[in-house]
């Protein structure tokens, strides 16, 4: 192989406020995905970046909108993530992820146990943020973050992940 492989060393600086941390996360995600057409590679690297930049998570990753196994109906299918193995397929409209996908609206859930139909992939999860990724007005995936802490996510997190979802619209 010619040359040496690239070493990526994206790490959050100490003492940042939430908005600054998301600006850095977005810059790193932009740098890693801008010239790469492979959706799986881009989701994998962004899952790793979210894990690296955002404290107090127990799961960070993607579900993609894809055909069901035995019908052409669409459902959510597990994509690249960091965390414990998770549910593979989620029907549209079910759980936090399915609700985000079918409504096209961010779901900021302070207490997952109070969310009707919440799917507990990891019993440690207490709060969750799910943001749809839209392309040409259609939901093509969702970004899912779980935390073992109640009310871990704020509107600043929702705004940051929505900006990330917009960046990734045509890259995943
Ligand atoms: N809790 C999600 C399922 C996915 S896992 O959190 C990774 C839900 O209710 O849709």
């Amino acid at each position: 192989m010619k040359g040496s492989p690239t070493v990526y060393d994206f790490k959050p600086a100490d003492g940042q406020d939430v908005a600054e941390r998301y600006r850095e996360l977005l810059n790193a995600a932009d740098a890693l995905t801008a010239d790469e057409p492979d959706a799986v590679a881009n989701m994998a690297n962004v899952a790793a970046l979210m894990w690296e930049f955002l404290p107090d998570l127990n799961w960070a990753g993607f579900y993609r909108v894809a055909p069901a196994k035995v019908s052409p109906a669409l459902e959510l299918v597990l994509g690249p993530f960091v965390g414990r193995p998770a549910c593979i397929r989620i029907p549209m409209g079910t759980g936090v992820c399915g609700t985000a996908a079918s409504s096209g609206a961010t779901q900021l859930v302070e207490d997952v146990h109070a969310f009707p139909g919440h799917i507990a992939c990891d019993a440690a999860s207490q709060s969750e943020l799910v943001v749809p990724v839209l392309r040409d007005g259609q939901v093509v995936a969702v970004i899912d973050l779980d935390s073992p802490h109640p009310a871990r996510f704020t509107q600043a997190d929702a705004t940051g992940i929505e900006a990330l979802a917009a960046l990734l619209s045509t890259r995943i």
Side-chain angles (χ1 to χ4, degrees):
M1 200 167 96
K2 211 172 149 201
S4 47
T6 307
V7 175
Y8 296 113
D9 191 21
F10 294 110
K11 286 218 181 299
D14 291 334
Q16 293 164 313
D17 66 20
V18 178
E20 179 58 27
R21 190 164 278 245
Y22 276 103
R23 272 193 292 279
E24 284 204 357
L25 169 58
L26 232 73
N27 287 341
D30 188 27
L32 279 171
T33 61
D35 293 327
E36 177 48 64
D38 190 277
V40 172
N42 288 339
M43 288 186 279
N45 262 336
V46 172
L49 283 177
M50 294 190 294
W51 187 262
E52 187 79 42
F53 277 72
L54 305 175
D56 302 320
L57 303 181
N58 63 319
W59 206 89
F62 292 82
Y63 279 88
R64 296 161 298 125
V65 176
K69 278 200 270 191
V70 292
S71 83
L74 295 175
E75 61 187 8
L76 289 174
V77 183
L78 183 64
F81 67 94
V82 182
R84 301 190 72 191
C87 346
I88 301 169
R89 289 176 180 268
I90 299 176
M92 290 297 212
T94 299
V96 187
C97 290
T99 300
S102 62
S103 66
T106 293
Q107 303 294 309
L108 203 174
V109 182
E110 293 194 347
D111 175 7
V112 294
H113 306 294
F115 190 96
H118 166 253
I119 302 162
C121 292
D122 181 343
S125 297
Q126 300 294 328
S127 57
E128 184 161 3
L129 174 63
V130 183
V131 174
V133 180
L134 285 95
R135 183 158 62 236
D136 299 329
Q138 302 289 317
V139 178
V140 294
V142 299
I143 298 174
D144 183 14
L145 300 177
D146 284 36
S147 173
H149 302 297
R152 152 69 181 83
F153 304 104
T154 65
Q155 189 52 48
D157 293 291
T159 301
I161 297 297
E162 283 167 357
L164 184 60
L167 175 79
L168 297 177
S169 169
T170 57
R171 299 184 185 182
I172 63 170

